[in-house]
Amino acid sequence: MTPGSIDEGRSISSDEKEGSKPYVAAYTLDTAAILVAAEDITLTPEEAKRLRRKIDWHIMPLMSILYWVQFMDKTTLGYSAILGIRKDTNLTTNEYNWLGTIFYLGYLVFEYPQNLALQKFPVGKWMSINILIWSVALLSHAACKNFAGLFVVRAILGACEGSITAGFLIVSSMFYTRTEQTLRIGYWFLMNGTAVIITGFISFGTLHIKTKGFAPWQWLMIITGLITVVIAVLYWFLFPDSPTNAWFLTPEERAKAVLRIKENQTGVENKTFKKEQMIEALRDPKTWLFALFTALANVPNSLLNQRSIIVTSFGWTPLQTTLFGCIDGVIEVITIFVGVQLAARIPNSRAYIITLCAVPNLLGCLLVTLLPWKNKVGLLCAIWMLGVGLTGFVLILSWVTSVTAGHTKRITTNTVLLIAYCIGNSVAPFMWQAKYRPRNYVPWGIIAGCFFVCGTIPPVLRWVLARENALRDREKHDSTYDNIYVEHTTPEGKKIEVKVPKEFLDLTDRQNRDFRYVL
């Protein structure tokens, strides 16, 4: 069932054969268009489930492991704070904060080039190259003796890690339906919590390594760096670039895997950058609402590098602080799992769940600022409550992939979101000034404000999208893209015209008036 070749010159509409409509350039087609247009394929519910299981078994373990590794690698700095890195490299408070910021500045500067590369080049191969480069940068941390050296390797780490979340959002939309995306994005994102648990135990173990001239924090960098090297190799050989060429699917299964996600009305991918789609993404109000949420939701992420310092200031020992960090991870895993399950099972509930997640975060901020300083157990519990909020960000990521169509538009929207992510993460470390210690009233006040605004944005988003859905329900059917054909050459050399489904014309969510936004 190998599809034949496509004449690159043109796609045509059925009406054009009577001279009433212009040609439509072939580059507008999604890369999966020929797979579904050139063959007469059907897909039963049983086959769809079997295909989903096969896809899950081949890509979800790789995505989950890598997301664990990338989160572990970027948080090594926070764990190193109690393993001796500040003393050994003579870091001031401001320099330590800069190391948290430069990671996200590297992420920010390279985010747009990374997204363009993910559109132009095979996704799996591009990510594996980035993983290998950042593994070398992570290993190089162990050789750094001062702020300048750490500054450089942290910048490289951020530049390379910028490819992962963007790549995963693209791959999730390629292989899964919109409901499935909510669960799968949640599953690989909850590996952040798993990373906190595992890294906590690794850090605990490195505290007991006694080697002359080689500190525990250096061992942490070596161990995590070597794990990342292995992942880079696995990704090069095992991670698929798209359903149209996935090595673990037969030619017939590839066509059916594409047909399976037809309901998304977003296609698979298109290797041609379309300026008009980029402009549409930048003019779309929902892009900026998603971006505002993302920026504010990631200001509290500065706690990743500050958490160990804060908890030890409550009166806990470094060993206790390291082990307590594992509980942070357990809370994160449980809340993300419950949150995405609820969003997937209760129709149109995303906005409400995201807003609900902001409540324990606000309560945690209040407790950590109002509880007596001697109540170190209560203060620790307040820190743990802040782990609930990440569920909202996970649901936002799955929501934006579900309501954005057109490959260039998705790439552009993802870029804006991840730039906002970088801005929130890069500016936040500087609010943790020595003059605010030990109670840190100013940083906690800022974080509480961010959580409050993040609780109000989802209902506004939901109202905007629901209003657009209602408008489209009242519109007369738009038949502009109903009868588009492509000239196809069969394996026998015969040229035929086959109809291309609207879902694989690489239309944006605004162009395709049959598109409905999930709420």
Side-chain angles (χ1 to χ4, degrees):
M1 193 175 168
T2 303
S5 62
I6 176 174
D7 287 356
E8 294 294 336
R10 58 196 183 114
S11 301
I12 59 176
S13 70
S14 56
D15 292 300
E16 183 208 341
K17 288 178 281 186
E18 300 173 6
S20 60
K21 285 194 176 181
Y23 286 103
V24 180
Y27 79 86
T28 62
L29 292 175
D30 187 90
T31 55
I34 295 305
L35 276 177
V36 294
E39 305 289 346
D40 183 18
I41 56 174
T42 57
L43 183 66
T44 65
E46 292 73 22
E47 287 178 308
K49 289 180 180 179
R50 182 188 64 80
L51 264 177
R52 186 185 65 193
R53 286 195 297 269
K54 189 171 185 179
I55 292 168
D56 278 343
W57 276 108
H58 283 87
I59 71 173
M60 283 305 297
L62 286 170
M63 293 174 79
S64 298
I65 291 171
L66 179 58
Y67 221 71
W68 154 53
V69 168
Q70 70 94 25
F71 190 81
M72 174 179 68
D73 290 351
K74 73 180 177 184
T75 57
T76 49
L77 179 65
Y79 286 95
S80 296
I82 59 170
L83 297 178
I85 191 172
R86 290 188 297 168
K87 179 181 177 181
D88 292 348
T89 57
N90 300 309
L91 294 176
T92 65
T93 298
N94 195 48
E95 287 174 339
Y96 180 76
N97 289 340
W98 260 109
L99 293 181
T101 294
I102 190 56
F103 173 91
Y104 291 104
L105 288 179
Y107 201 125
L108 174 64
V109 171
F110 282 88
E111 190 54 43
Y112 190 60
Q114 287 281 18
N115 273 274
L116 286 179
L118 286 167
Q119 182 175 19
K120 281 287 185 182
F121 305 120
V123 175
K125 299 299 185 292
W126 183 254
M127 284 197 293
S128 66
I129 292 170
N130 277 275
I131 299 166
L132 183 62
I133 295 172
W134 103 50
S135 68
V136 174
L138 189 61
L139 289 167
S140 300
H141 278 60
C144 296
K145 303 297 183 183
N146 52 39
F147 169 71
L150 289 170
F151 187 89
V152 172
V153 293
R154 294 293 298 176
I156 296 172
L157 201 63
C160 294
E161 286 202 28
S163 65
I164 303 307
T165 300
F168 278 11
L169 291 176
I170 293 170
V171 170
S172 295
S173 65
M174 286 180 181
F175 282 93
Y176 295 108
T177 66
R178 296 201 283 190
T179 301
E180 292 166 355
Q181 287 171 33
T182 300
L183 289 172
R184 270 63 185 183
I185 291 175
Y187 292 158
W188 51 255
F189 209 100
L190 64 78
M191 294 306 292
N192 284 0
T194 306
V196 172
I197 299 169
I198 297 174
T199 312
F201 282 116
I202 294 175
S203 300
F204 182 78
T206 57
L207 271 172
H208 294 80
I209 299 177
K210 308 297 181 183
T211 50
K212 187 176 181 180
F214 212 75
W217 67 268
Q218 291 173 303
W219 278 114
L220 178 65
M221 301 299 181
I222 294 297
I223 293 168
T224 53
L226 291 176
I227 292 172
T228 309
V229 170
V230 174
I231 299 301
V233 175
L234 289 176
Y235 257 67
W236 181 268
F237 291 105
L238 298 179
F239 197 74
D241 299 310
S242 92
T244 61
N245 61 8
W247 63 270
F248 54 86
L249 298 177
T250 65
E252 182 176 358
E253 287 174 334
R254 291 172 187 172
K256 289 184 176 181
V258 169
L259 186 62
R260 202 180 72 84
I261 64 165
K262 183 179 178 181
E263 67 181 72
N264 293 352
Q265 300 199 53
T266 58
V268 174
E269 66 175 342
N270 188 297
K271 293 299 184 183
T272 303
F273 180 82
K274 299 177 181 178
K275 183 180 177 181
E276 66 277 9
Q277 288 196 12
M278 180 191 74
I279 294 171
E280 181 180 316
L282 296 177
R283 289 179 174 176
D284 195 330
K286 74 176 186 292
T287 299
W288 300 106
L289 285 170
F290 280 122
L292 178 60
F293 180 98
T294 300
L296 296 178
N298 282 281
V299 169
N301 257 9
S302 58
L303 286 167
L304 290 175
N305 292 330
Q306 299 293 331
R307 184 201 165 280
S308 297
I309 299 170
I310 292 169
V311 175
T312 52
S313 74
F314 295 159
W316 302 101
T317 67
L319 282 175
Q320 290 171 327
T321 298
T322 302
L323 289 177
F324 287 151
C326 298
I327 299 177
D328 294 33
V330 172
I331 292 171
E332 191 174 311
V333 168
I334 293 173
T335 54
I336 291 177
F337 181 81
V338 172
V340 297
Q341 287 289 336
L342 289 174
R345 295 174 187 274
I346 305 175
N348 300 324
S349 62
R350 286 171 174 81
Y352 305 132
I353 295 171
I354 296 169
T355 297
L356 187 63
C357 288
V359 175
N361 292 337
L362 283 168
L363 184 57
C365 289
L366 287 173
L367 290 175
V368 81
T369 53
L370 299 178
L371 285 175
W373 195 242
K374 62 182 179 181
N375 188 356
K376 64 179 187 179
V377 173
L379 292 168
L380 181 62
C381 290
I383 295 294
W384 284 335
M385 293 179 71
L386 301 174
V388 177
L390 191 58
T391 303
F393 180 54
V394 174
L395 291 175
I396 282 289
L397 288 179
S398 64
W399 200 0
V400 75
T401 62
S402 302
V403 297
T404 310
H407 199 69
T408 299
K409 184 174 182 179
R410 287 208 303 268
I411 290 290
T412 304
T413 304
N414 290 346
T415 300
V416 172
L417 252 68
L418 293 172
I419 287 174
Y421 167 85
C422 294
I423 291 172
N425 278 289
S426 60
V427 301
F430 292 102
M431 66 186 180
W432 299 97
Q433 299 291 326
K435 62 184 178 182
Y436 298 138
R437 294 176 185 170
R439 296 308 305 242
N440 291 305
Y441 289 122
V442 172
W444 287 120
I446 295 172
I447 288 174
C450 290
F451 283 140
F452 177 79
V453 178
C454 285
T456 64
I457 293 175
V460 175
L461 257 170
R462 191 183 193 281
W463 177 79
V464 170
L465 298 179
R467 186 181 64 170
E468 180 62 25
N469 283 346
L471 174 65
R472 296 185 184 194
D473 288 342
R474 295 192 298 268
E475 288 179 350
K476 182 180 178 181
H477 174 70
D478 179 11
S479 60
T480 305
Y481 303 101
D482 285 354
N483 295 294
I484 303 297
Y485 289 75
V486 64
E487 193 172 78
H488 172 67
T489 303
T490 68
E492 295 78 25
K494 182 181 178 181
K495 289 191 175 183
I496 59 174
E497 292 174 357
V498 290
K499 185 177 180 179
V500 180
K502 180 186 291 187
E503 295 83 358
F504 298 101
L505 292 174
D506 194 37
L507 302 176
T508 69
D509 50 277
R510 286 192 170 183
Q511 290 174 319
N512 182 1
R513 305 308 290 178
D514 290 339
F515 189 97
R516 292 297 182 272
Y517 298 103
V518 294
L519 305 176

